[in-house]
Amino acid sequence: MSGVVRTISILEVLAKAGQANLESLSRLTDLPKATLLRFLNTLMALGYVCRDDADRYSLTLKLFALGSRALSHTDLTMKARPFATRLCKELGETVHMGILEGDGAVYVLKEESSYTLRMYSRIGKVIPLYCTAIGKIFLSQMSEAQLDAYLEGHPLKPYTSHTVKTAEALREQLALIRRRGWSIDDQEHEDDIMCIACPIRDYTGSVIAAMSVSFPLFRFNRADFEKTCERIVSVTGELSAIMGWEREAE
């Protein structure tokens, strides 16, 4: 039996039993006490299990928090799909939605362009923050201290010759994003690909996701740049309203 299977078995037994001592857990999981204790100590160190004064083990709320996050992402994806589909049809290009996950962003939704030449991407793909349109939306929301910590731990690796090269230049980009409400990746992550992204906000005004449209340069008409940005801003604003966000009166 693998360590993962044993861990899941322990969690499932505790979820069903509520509380159990070592002897009961050993019997219910069919694990030797020494082995079980080792796994329990690890789960307690990680914050998933606690032990009371009577040496009874139970689950903490950490698993509930993880499940709630998964449910919220699922709910967001379901609500976002019609908006992504609309953008894809109207602009004719691939649409992605990403969420912040650790020090990167991960795609949770993709609407594929109908063109033969398409974006190489997939749901679950992790992308960097500093050189992608979606990623820069999240960076633009960070406090100075958070941004300093991010930059200290993430050298600006050049993906292309257009990738931002200095922290100062990136900070200037982020200030501009905060002012205008959208971000751009002009061949910074992939050559010959431009992406425009906008934030998706919840009822608190917090950015919970970002949605982007990706254009191969040979299909993008720069004369339509402003109109394209306005369309993406409008559609993501509608989705934010569905998520409870109320735009402040200007």
PDB file of all heavy atoms in Angstrom, residues 77-96 109-112 211 235:
ATOM      1  N   THR A  77     -15.728  28.904 -12.843  1.00  0.00           N
ATOM      2  CA  THR A  77     -15.529  28.404 -14.200  1.00  0.00           C
ATOM      3  C   THR A  77     -16.859  28.223 -14.915  1.00  0.00           C
ATOM      4  O   THR A  77     -17.004  28.579 -16.095  1.00  0.00           O
ATOM      5  CB  THR A  77     -14.765  27.071 -14.167  1.00  0.00           C
ATOM      6  OG1 THR A  77     -13.502  27.268 -13.517  1.00  0.00           O
ATOM      7  CG2 THR A  77     -14.520  26.551 -15.567  1.00  0.00           C
ATOM      8  N   MET A  78     -17.843  27.693 -14.216  1.00  0.00           N
ATOM      9  CA  MET A  78     -19.166  27.498 -14.827  1.00  0.00           C
ATOM     10  C   MET A  78     -19.780  28.834 -15.230  1.00  0.00           C
ATOM     11  O   MET A  78     -20.350  28.971 -16.319  1.00  0.00           O
ATOM     12  CB  MET A  78     -20.086  26.760 -13.858  1.00  0.00           C
ATOM     13  CG  MET A  78     -19.721  25.307 -13.634  1.00  0.00           C
ATOM     14  SD  MET A  78     -20.773  24.526 -12.386  1.00  0.00           S
ATOM     15  CE  MET A  78     -22.395  24.726 -13.120  1.00  0.00           C
ATOM     16  N   LYS A  79     -19.646  29.828 -14.362  1.00  0.00           N
ATOM     17  CA  LYS A  79     -20.224  31.135 -14.661  1.00  0.00           C
ATOM     18  C   LYS A  79     -19.435  31.861 -15.751  1.00  0.00           C
ATOM     19  O   LYS A  79     -20.003  32.654 -16.514  1.00  0.00           O
ATOM     20  CB  LYS A  79     -20.282  31.978 -13.386  1.00  0.00           C
ATOM     21  CG  LYS A  79     -21.309  31.482 -12.380  1.00  0.00           C
ATOM     22  CD  LYS A  79     -21.321  32.325 -11.125  1.00  0.00           C
ATOM     23  CE  LYS A  79     -22.410  31.835 -10.158  1.00  0.00           C
ATOM     24  NZ  LYS A  79     -22.409  32.571  -8.877  1.00  0.00           N
ATOM     25  N   ALA A  80     -18.139  31.589 -15.808  1.00  0.00           N
ATOM     26  CA  ALA A  80     -17.288  32.306 -16.769  1.00  0.00           C
ATOM     27  C   ALA A  80     -17.381  31.758 -18.180  1.00  0.00           C
ATOM     28  O   ALA A  80     -17.136  32.484 -19.152  1.00  0.00           O
ATOM     29  CB  ALA A  80     -15.834  32.248 -16.292  1.00  0.00           C
ATOM     30  N   ARG A  81     -17.729  30.491 -18.314  1.00  0.00           N
ATOM     31  CA  ARG A  81     -17.667  29.862 -19.644  1.00  0.00           C
ATOM     32  C   ARG A  81     -18.484  30.589 -20.717  1.00  0.00           C
ATOM     33  O   ARG A  81     -17.990  30.802 -21.824  1.00  0.00           O
ATOM     34  CB  ARG A  81     -18.093  28.393 -19.554  1.00  0.00           C
ATOM     35  CG  ARG A  81     -17.855  27.630 -20.856  1.00  0.00           C
ATOM     36  CD  ARG A  81     -18.069  26.145 -20.688  1.00  0.00           C
ATOM     37  NE  ARG A  81     -17.141  25.558 -19.733  1.00  0.00           N
ATOM     38  CZ  ARG A  81     -15.875  25.266 -20.019  1.00  0.00           C
ATOM     39  NH1 ARG A  81     -15.396  25.511 -21.227  1.00  0.00           N
ATOM     40  NH2 ARG A  81     -15.097  24.728 -19.104  1.00  0.00           N
ATOM     41  N   PRO A  82     -19.756  30.987 -20.435  1.00  0.00           N
ATOM     42  CA  PRO A  82     -20.495  31.691 -21.490  1.00  0.00           C
ATOM     43  C   PRO A  82     -19.830  32.991 -21.935  1.00  0.00           C
ATOM     44  O   PRO A  82     -19.901  33.360 -23.110  1.00  0.00           O
ATOM     45  CB  PRO A  82     -21.859  31.965 -20.841  1.00  0.00           C
ATOM     46  CG  PRO A  82     -21.955  30.989 -19.718  1.00  0.00           C
ATOM     47  CD  PRO A  82     -20.564  30.783 -19.234  1.00  0.00           C
ATOM     48  N   PHE A  83     -19.168  33.677 -21.004  1.00  0.00           N
ATOM     49  CA  PHE A  83     -18.489  34.926 -21.342  1.00  0.00           C
ATOM     50  C   PHE A  83     -17.239  34.654 -22.183  1.00  0.00           C
ATOM     51  O   PHE A  83     -16.952  35.386 -23.136  1.00  0.00           O
ATOM     52  CB  PHE A  83     -18.127  35.679 -20.063  1.00  0.00           C
ATOM     53  CG  PHE A  83     -19.321  36.130 -19.278  1.00  0.00           C
ATOM     54  CD1 PHE A  83     -19.878  35.316 -18.306  1.00  0.00           C
ATOM     55  CD2 PHE A  83     -19.897  37.366 -19.520  1.00  0.00           C
ATOM     56  CE1 PHE A  83     -20.993  35.720 -17.593  1.00  0.00           C
ATOM     57  CE2 PHE A  83     -21.017  37.787 -18.811  1.00  0.00           C
ATOM     58  CZ  PHE A  83     -21.566  36.959 -17.845  1.00  0.00           C
ATOM     59  N   ALA A  84     -16.509  33.592 -21.824  1.00  0.00           N
ATOM     60  CA  ALA A  84     -15.343  33.211 -22.606  1.00  0.00           C
ATOM     61  C   ALA A  84     -15.751  32.786 -24.010  1.00  0.00           C
ATOM     62  O   ALA A  84     -15.094  33.134 -25.007  1.00  0.00           O
ATOM     63  CB  ALA A  84     -14.581  32.082 -21.902  1.00  0.00           C
ATOM     64  N   THR A  85     -16.852  32.047 -24.101  1.00  0.00           N
ATOM     65  CA  THR A  85     -17.355  31.609 -25.405  1.00  0.00           C
ATOM     66  C   THR A  85     -17.747  32.808 -26.263  1.00  0.00           C
ATOM     67  O   THR A  85     -17.458  32.858 -27.463  1.00  0.00           O
ATOM     68  CB  THR A  85     -18.569  30.679 -25.219  1.00  0.00           C
ATOM     69  OG1 THR A  85     -18.175  29.539 -24.456  1.00  0.00           O
ATOM     70  CG2 THR A  85     -19.115  30.218 -26.555  1.00  0.00           C
ATOM     71  N   ARG A  86     -18.385  33.784 -25.634  1.00  0.00           N
ATOM     72  CA  ARG A  86     -18.791  34.979 -26.378  1.00  0.00           C
ATOM     73  C   ARG A  86     -17.577  35.741 -26.909  1.00  0.00           C
ATOM     74  O   ARG A  86     -17.543  36.146 -28.075  1.00  0.00           O
ATOM     75  CB  ARG A  86     -19.624  35.897 -25.482  1.00  0.00           C
ATOM     76  CG  ARG A  86     -20.335  36.999 -26.280  1.00  0.00           C
ATOM     77  CD  ARG A  86     -20.715  38.190 -25.432  1.00  0.00           C
ATOM     78  NE  ARG A  86     -21.380  37.824 -24.191  1.00  0.00           N
ATOM     79  CZ  ARG A  86     -21.659  38.726 -23.241  1.00  0.00           C
ATOM     80  NH1 ARG A  86     -21.323  39.998 -23.410  1.00  0.00           N
ATOM     81  NH2 ARG A  86     -22.253  38.347 -22.128  1.00  0.00           N
ATOM     82  N   LEU A  87     -16.569  35.933 -26.056  1.00  0.00           N
ATOM     83  CA  LEU A  87     -15.355  36.628 -26.501  1.00  0.00           C
ATOM     84  C   LEU A  87     -14.675  35.875 -27.632  1.00  0.00           C
ATOM     85  O   LEU A  87     -14.201  36.467 -28.606  1.00  0.00           O
ATOM     86  CB  LEU A  87     -14.377  36.786 -25.325  1.00  0.00           C
ATOM     87  CG  LEU A  87     -14.467  38.051 -24.492  1.00  0.00           C
ATOM     88  CD1 LEU A  87     -13.396  38.024 -23.408  1.00  0.00           C
ATOM     89  CD2 LEU A  87     -14.313  39.302 -25.358  1.00  0.00           C
ATOM     90  N   CYS A  88     -14.625  34.551 -27.501  1.00  0.00           N
ATOM     91  CA  CYS A  88     -13.985  33.719 -28.514  1.00  0.00           C
ATOM     92  C   CYS A  88     -14.696  33.877 -29.858  1.00  0.00           C
ATOM     93  O   CYS A  88     -14.050  34.016 -30.908  1.00  0.00           O
ATOM     94  CB  CYS A  88     -13.982  32.265 -28.062  1.00  0.00           C
ATOM     95  SG  CYS A  88     -13.148  31.127 -29.175  1.00  0.00           S
ATOM     96  N   LYS A  89     -16.019  33.868 -29.845  1.00  0.00           N
ATOM     97  CA  LYS A  89     -16.780  33.992 -31.080  1.00  0.00           C
ATOM     98  C   LYS A  89     -16.667  35.387 -31.671  1.00  0.00           C
ATOM     99  O   LYS A  89     -16.527  35.566 -32.886  1.00  0.00           O
ATOM    100  CB  LYS A  89     -18.246  33.642 -30.833  1.00  0.00           C
ATOM    101  CG  LYS A  89     -18.491  32.162 -30.586  1.00  0.00           C
ATOM    102  CD  LYS A  89     -19.969  31.883 -30.369  1.00  0.00           C
ATOM    103  CE  LYS A  89     -20.217  30.385 -30.193  1.00  0.00           C
ATOM    104  NZ  LYS A  89     -21.668  30.103 -29.944  1.00  0.00           N
ATOM    105  N   GLU A  90     -16.726  36.412 -30.806  1.00  0.00           N
ATOM    106  CA  GLU A  90     -16.700  37.784 -31.294  1.00  0.00           C
ATOM    107  C   GLU A  90     -15.331  38.176 -31.850  1.00  0.00           C
ATOM    108  O   GLU A  90     -15.248  38.851 -32.882  1.00  0.00           O
ATOM    109  CB  GLU A  90     -17.082  38.744 -30.174  1.00  0.00           C
ATOM    110  CG  GLU A  90     -18.552  38.674 -29.776  1.00  0.00           C
ATOM    111  CD  GLU A  90     -18.891  39.673 -28.693  1.00  0.00           C
ATOM    112  OE1 GLU A  90     -18.000  40.446 -28.284  1.00  0.00           O
ATOM    113  OE2 GLU A  90     -20.059  39.684 -28.252  1.00  0.00           O
ATOM    114  N   LEU A  91     -14.270  37.760 -31.173  1.00  0.00           N
ATOM    115  CA  LEU A  91     -12.923  38.162 -31.585  1.00  0.00           C
ATOM    116  C   LEU A  91     -12.224  37.092 -32.416  1.00  0.00           C
ATOM    117  O   LEU A  91     -11.192  37.353 -33.037  1.00  0.00           O
ATOM    118  CB  LEU A  91     -12.084  38.512 -30.354  1.00  0.00           C
ATOM    119  CG  LEU A  91     -12.646  39.660 -29.493  1.00  0.00           C
ATOM    120  CD1 LEU A  91     -11.755  39.898 -28.281  1.00  0.00           C
ATOM    121  CD2 LEU A  91     -12.778  40.939 -30.317  1.00  0.00           C
ATOM    122  N   GLY A  92     -12.771  35.873 -32.399  1.00  0.00           N
ATOM    123  CA  GLY A  92     -12.240  34.817 -33.248  1.00  0.00           C
ATOM    124  C   GLY A  92     -10.970  34.160 -32.750  1.00  0.00           C
ATOM    125  O   GLY A  92     -10.351  33.373 -33.475  1.00  0.00           O
ATOM    126  N   GLU A  93     -10.577  34.452 -31.515  1.00  0.00           N
ATOM    127  CA  GLU A  93      -9.307  33.933 -31.013  1.00  0.00           C
ATOM    128  C   GLU A  93      -9.482  33.192 -29.690  1.00  0.00           C
ATOM    129  O   GLU A  93     -10.544  33.256 -29.066  1.00  0.00           O
ATOM    130  CB  GLU A  93      -8.297  35.078 -30.837  1.00  0.00           C
ATOM    131  CG  GLU A  93      -7.988  35.847 -32.113  1.00  0.00           C
ATOM    132  CD  GLU A  93      -7.262  35.010 -33.163  1.00  0.00           C
ATOM    133  OE1 GLU A  93      -6.818  33.885 -32.849  1.00  0.00           O
ATOM    134  OE2 GLU A  93      -7.131  35.484 -34.309  1.00  0.00           O
ATOM    135  N   THR A  94      -8.430  32.496 -29.276  1.00  0.00           N
ATOM    136  CA  THR A  94      -8.479  31.668 -28.074  1.00  0.00           C
ATOM    137  C   THR A  94      -8.580  32.526 -26.816  1.00  0.00           C
ATOM    138  O   THR A  94      -7.873  33.528 -26.665  1.00  0.00           O
ATOM    139  CB  THR A  94      -7.228  30.774 -27.996  1.00  0.00           C
ATOM    140  OG1 THR A  94      -7.206  29.915 -29.133  1.00  0.00           O
ATOM    141  CG2 THR A  94      -7.237  29.928 -26.727  1.00  0.00           C
ATOM    142  N   VAL A  95      -9.441  32.095 -25.913  1.00  0.00           N
ATOM    143  CA  VAL A  95      -9.653  32.787 -24.638  1.00  0.00           C
ATOM    144  C   VAL A  95      -9.231  31.859 -23.501  1.00  0.00           C
ATOM    145  O   VAL A  95      -9.565  30.672 -23.504  1.00  0.00           O
ATOM    146  CB  VAL A  95     -11.129  33.191 -24.473  1.00  0.00           C
ATOM    147  CG1 VAL A  95     -11.368  33.814 -23.095  1.00  0.00           C
ATOM    148  CG2 VAL A  95     -11.546  34.150 -25.577  1.00  0.00           C
ATOM    149  N   HIS A  96      -8.494  32.402 -22.557  1.00  0.00           N
ATOM    150  CA  HIS A  96      -8.102  31.670 -21.352  1.00  0.00           C
ATOM    151  C   HIS A  96      -8.603  32.407 -20.115  1.00  0.00           C
ATOM    152  O   HIS A  96      -8.706  33.640 -20.132  1.00  0.00           O
ATOM    153  CB  HIS A  96      -6.574  31.543 -21.217  1.00  0.00           C
ATOM    154  CG  HIS A  96      -5.921  30.731 -22.271  1.00  0.00           C
ATOM    155  ND1 HIS A  96      -5.317  31.285 -23.372  1.00  0.00           N
ATOM    156  CD2 HIS A  96      -5.764  29.388 -22.394  1.00  0.00           C
ATOM    157  CE1 HIS A  96      -4.803  30.328 -24.132  1.00  0.00           C
ATOM    158  NE2 HIS A  96      -5.067  29.167 -23.557  1.00  0.00           N
ATOM    159  N   LEU A 109      -9.756  27.541 -17.521  1.00  0.00           N
ATOM    160  CA  LEU A 109     -10.762  27.577 -18.578  1.00  0.00           C
ATOM    161  C   LEU A 109     -10.084  27.950 -19.886  1.00  0.00           C
ATOM    162  O   LEU A 109      -9.194  28.810 -19.913  1.00  0.00           O
ATOM    163  CB  LEU A 109     -11.846  28.604 -18.233  1.00  0.00           C
ATOM    164  CG  LEU A 109     -12.942  28.888 -19.275  1.00  0.00           C
ATOM    165  CD1 LEU A 109     -13.750  27.632 -19.552  1.00  0.00           C
ATOM    166  CD2 LEU A 109     -13.852  30.011 -18.786  1.00  0.00           C
ATOM    167  N   LYS A 110     -10.504  27.289 -20.960  1.00  0.00           N
ATOM    168  CA  LYS A 110      -9.985  27.614 -22.285  1.00  0.00           C
ATOM    169  C   LYS A 110     -11.091  27.452 -23.311  1.00  0.00           C
ATOM    170  O   LYS A 110     -11.789  26.447 -23.326  1.00  0.00           O
ATOM    171  CB  LYS A 110      -8.803  26.701 -22.653  1.00  0.00           C
ATOM    172  CG  LYS A 110      -8.244  26.961 -24.053  1.00  0.00           C
ATOM    173  CD  LYS A 110      -7.120  25.995 -24.403  1.00  0.00           C
ATOM    174  CE  LYS A 110      -6.575  26.262 -25.805  1.00  0.00           C
ATOM    175  NZ  LYS A 110      -5.511  25.306 -26.180  1.00  0.00           N
ATOM    176  N   GLU A 111     -11.252  28.475 -24.153  1.00  0.00           N
ATOM    177  CA  GLU A 111     -12.149  28.401 -25.303  1.00  0.00           C
ATOM    178  C   GLU A 111     -11.275  28.522 -26.545  1.00  0.00           C
ATOM    179  O   GLU A 111     -10.640  29.545 -26.765  1.00  0.00           O
ATOM    180  CB  GLU A 111     -13.196  29.515 -25.262  1.00  0.00           C
ATOM    181  CG  GLU A 111     -14.313  29.265 -24.271  1.00  0.00           C
ATOM    182  CD  GLU A 111     -15.197  28.089 -24.666  1.00  0.00           C
ATOM    183  OE1 GLU A 111     -15.444  27.905 -25.872  1.00  0.00           O
ATOM    184  OE2 GLU A 111     -15.629  27.353 -23.758  1.00  0.00           O
ATOM    185  N   GLU A 112     -11.257  27.465 -27.336  1.00  0.00           N
ATOM    186  CA  GLU A 112     -10.320  27.354 -28.450  1.00  0.00           C
ATOM    187  C   GLU A 112     -10.801  28.105 -29.683  1.00  0.00           C
ATOM    188  O   GLU A 112     -11.980  28.078 -30.036  1.00  0.00           O
ATOM    189  CB  GLU A 112     -10.140  25.873 -28.803  1.00  0.00           C
ATOM    190  CG  GLU A 112      -9.091  25.604 -29.852  1.00  0.00           C
ATOM    191  CD  GLU A 112      -7.684  25.770 -29.301  1.00  0.00           C
ATOM    192  OE1 GLU A 112      -7.183  24.844 -28.643  1.00  0.00           O
ATOM    193  OE2 GLU A 112      -7.095  26.846 -29.539  1.00  0.00           O
ATOM    194  N   MET A 211      -9.003  37.029 -17.301  1.00  0.00           N
ATOM    195  CA  MET A 211      -9.361  36.423 -18.586  1.00  0.00           C
ATOM    196  C   MET A 211      -8.588  37.122 -19.694  1.00  0.00           C
ATOM    197  O   MET A 211      -8.473  38.351 -19.698  1.00  0.00           O
ATOM    198  CB  MET A 211     -10.866  36.530 -18.830  1.00  0.00           C
ATOM    199  CG  MET A 211     -11.359  35.766 -20.049  1.00  0.00           C
ATOM    200  SD  MET A 211     -13.190  35.776 -20.184  1.00  0.00           S
ATOM    201  CE  MET A 211     -13.626  34.614 -18.867  1.00  0.00           C
ATOM    202  N   VAL A 235     -16.741  42.706 -21.376  1.00  0.00           N
ATOM    203  CA  VAL A 235     -17.215  41.344 -21.100  1.00  0.00           C
ATOM    204  C   VAL A 235     -16.762  40.880 -19.718  1.00  0.00           C
ATOM    205  O   VAL A 235     -17.545  40.288 -18.965  1.00  0.00           O
ATOM    206  CB  VAL A 235     -16.746  40.370 -22.194  1.00  0.00           C
ATOM    207  CG1 VAL A 235     -17.057  38.927 -21.807  1.00  0.00           C
ATOM    208  CG2 VAL A 235     -17.418  40.707 -23.522  1.00  0.00           C
TER     209      VAL A 235
END
